[in-house]
Amino acid sequence: MIDQLLLNNRRWAATVKQENPNFFIELSKQQTPKFFWIGCCDSRVPANQIIGLMPGEVFVHRNIANIVNNADINCISALQYAVDVLKVRHVILCGHYGCGGVEAAIHGEGHDIIDYWIWDIKAILTRHEKLLSQISPDAVSHFMCEVNVIEQTYELCRTKVIREAWQREQPVSVHGWVYGIHDGLLQEVIPHVNHQTDIEQMYDAALTAVSQKYLSQP
Ligand code: CO
């Protein structure tokens, strides 16, 4: 089974080279991606494939439940490299419906170290306790996956890296999306935040929209 992966690789590299003989040579000299993707580890949400981009076009960081935490040196280092060095124009925070990390937080399932990792999501659940009590139990998972996108995008906008980029007027937009593993489609939860002063308004608008969407469901 594992040998198949190496065979797949040979075939893929040959196909790419057939279309553009210099593809890998050109790419090996430098990377100039315009996008930075922060997504979930889930195998069903592969960044490049779902947004139709080739190697070299998107810088990627993935962790369980697409969490942005200032104390996470891994995520913040990737963000800093993407924004300060690669000078990406867009940072996309992408969650997905049916996220195991979000659902583990909802159901309080214990998985030792993962429990610590999803602590931030448990805090989000507590923050929106009142709203959650009004959502139909069937819709709680979808609702929370979207709320998690809003909260993590908010945290992303408040990182030192993004704030300083905006302060020096570097053009960088932050986006919050959710992906449907059931239909392969992306939806905007937060269309874009381009400036420090827009954060609160975008957060409130997105939370209101998501609340209305799920509160109106029977
Ligand atoms: Co997930």
Side-chain angles (χ1 to χ4, degrees), residues 40 42 96 99-100:
C40 182
D42 195 301
H96 67 100
C99 183

Side-chain angles (χ1 to χ4, degrees), residues 39-42 44-45 63-66 95-102 145:
C40 182
C41 290
D42 195 301
R44 297 164 293 182
V45 197
N63 64 45
I64 291 175
N66 40 271
H96 67 100
Y97 295 121
C99 183
V102 172
C145 287

Side-chain angles (χ1 to χ4, degrees), residues 44-45 96-98 142 178-185 187 214:
R44 297 164 293 182
V45 197
H96 67 100
Y97 295 121
H142 272 36
V178 67
Y179 176 75
I181 47 176
H182 55 286
D183 60 10
L185 299 178
Q187 315 285 347
Y214 287 93

Side-chain angles (χ1 to χ4, degrees), residues 1 8 18 21 34 116 130 142 168 174 181 195 204-205:
M1 241 171 108
N8 290 350
Q18 214 168 26
K34 291 186 174 61
Y116 292 101
K130 206 176 150 198
H142 272 36
R168 60 177 180 263
V174 177
I181 47 176
H195 202 270
D204 290 342

Side-chain angles (χ1 to χ4, degrees), residues 45 59-60 107 158:
V45 197
F59 196 67
V60 174
H107 302 302
R158 292 176 65 238

